[in-house]
Amino acid sequence: MKKSFHPLTFWSIFTALACGVVISDSSIGALLALGGATFIVFRYRGEGPWRNSFKWSLLAGLYLIAIRAFAGVVIGVPRVGETIFTLPRIYLPSWMPGIRIGGPVTWERLSFSLHEGLIIATVIALFGAANSVTSPHKLLRVMPSRVYQLAVTLTIATSVFPQLISSITRIRQAQYLRSGRKPRIAQVAIPLLEESLGRAVALAESMEAKGFGQSKNQSRYRPITYSNKDLLYILVGVISASAMVAL
């Protein structure tokens, strides 16, 4: 049987890469980190509702880049440089100095907005990749007992969005098979609410049956330990992040 990775292995790698991307502030480094994350996700992606977190984080990053570029072009601080095009300008009151709506759009202004959006989107995608390759249930098992309840809350919070997307897809497919037409949002909302409430009640009953929060002592049936492969992967991630910062 093939041994799986420690739950904190990929989280350590992607956290190190995210820190390297932010500190280096390099678009090339961000693209390389995205390429590495894509390779890891497609090779080690797990099973479960969270397996598509990387895809949705990429889509969220693309929307963020588009919004940041639009805001940087239309609203922003003027930057001296080569003018690409000119937008109609709206003059603001004198008590709002340094901010301009419209006017000449320079290449420096546009590239800075795209660069800033790319850095933020890369960080979001890296943590989405970590969520795609690591089961939140396994991650919860290795949390220290002092932060266990907080870890449970964070695990539930991070797994809600992938489960919500999975539920929406399943409901839309079921309604399409019954009617032959694509359902509207209003037709999906009520079944989604019922399924979400049912899942929440089942989770609460399960936690109560297991005595969650009644004891501070945490037991582990099979302790999860680091292997040499885990340490090697973490070392490669830390070295890659250090190289981004150094270069």
Side-chain angles (χ1 to χ4, degrees):
M1 182 177 178
K2 187 177 179 181
K3 186 181 183 299
S4 59
F5 289 91
H6 192 278
L8 291 177
T9 297
F10 289 115
W11 273 99
S12 302
I13 294 172
F14 290 124
T15 300
L17 290 177
C19 293
V21 168
V22 173
I23 296 174
S24 64
D25 197 26
S26 170
S27 299
I28 297 177
L31 292 175
L32 290 175
L34 276 178
T38 303
F39 173 77
I40 292 176
V41 168
F42 278 100
R43 184 166 183 179
Y44 299 107
R45 182 168 51 183
E47 297 295 333
W50 55 84
R51 69 190 305 266
N52 293 322
S53 299
F54 182 62
K55 180 182 72 173
W56 294 109
S57 64
L58 286 178
L59 292 176
L62 290 176
Y63 280 114
L64 189 146
I65 292 175
I67 294 173
R68 181 64 187 91
F70 176 79
V73 168
V74 178
I75 307 172
V77 179
R79 284 181 173 267
V80 179
E82 179 184 356
T83 301
I84 305 176
F85 55 89
T86 302
L87 296 175
R89 183 175 178 180
I90 300 176
Y91 291 91
L92 300 176
S94 58
W95 49 269
M96 298 180 64
I99 301 177
R100 185 172 61 183
I101 299 179
V105 178
T106 61
W107 169 249
E108 287 75 13
R109 184 175 172 182
L110 178 60
S111 61
F112 176 80
S113 301
L114 291 173
H115 167 78
E116 195 175 54
L118 176 62
I119 297 297
I120 301 174
T122 300
V123 174
I124 295 175
L126 289 175
F127 285 107
N131 202 27
S132 290
V133 297
T134 306
S135 168
H137 307 295
K138 292 182 178 179
L139 185 64
L140 185 61
R141 290 175 55 189
V142 299
M143 290 292 103
S145 57
R146 293 185 178 181
V147 297
Y148 184 74
Q149 295 188 13
L150 176 61
V152 171
T153 304
L154 294 177
T155 301
I156 295 174
T158 55
S159 60
V160 162
F161 184 70
Q163 292 178 358
L164 187 65
I165 297 299
S166 177
S167 298
I168 293 175
T169 303
R170 184 169 58 254
I171 293 171
R172 288 173 63 90
Q173 289 177 350
Q175 292 185 350
Y176 178 76
L177 290 175
R178 284 195 294 264
S179 63
R181 294 177 297 179
K182 291 184 178 181
R184 299 191 300 271
I185 296 178
Q187 295 175 325
V188 178
I190 300 301
L192 179 63
L193 179 61
E194 292 179 354
E195 183 173 338
S196 301
L197 290 176
R199 188 186 298 117
V201 171
L203 177 61
E205 292 176 347
S206 175
M207 294 174 68
E208 184 178 1
K210 294 179 180 179
F212 174 76
Q214 297 181 7
S215 175
K216 295 183 179 179
N217 298 323
Q218 182 182 0
S219 62
R220 294 187 176 92
Y221 175 63
R222 293 179 179 176
I224 303 176
T225 58
Y226 287 97
S227 64
N228 293 331
K229 190 175 183 180
D230 292 314
L231 298 177
L232 177 62
Y233 273 54
I234 294 175
L235 181 62
V236 171
V238 173
I239 292 176
S240 302
S242 302
M244 281 193 292
V245 175
L247 299 178

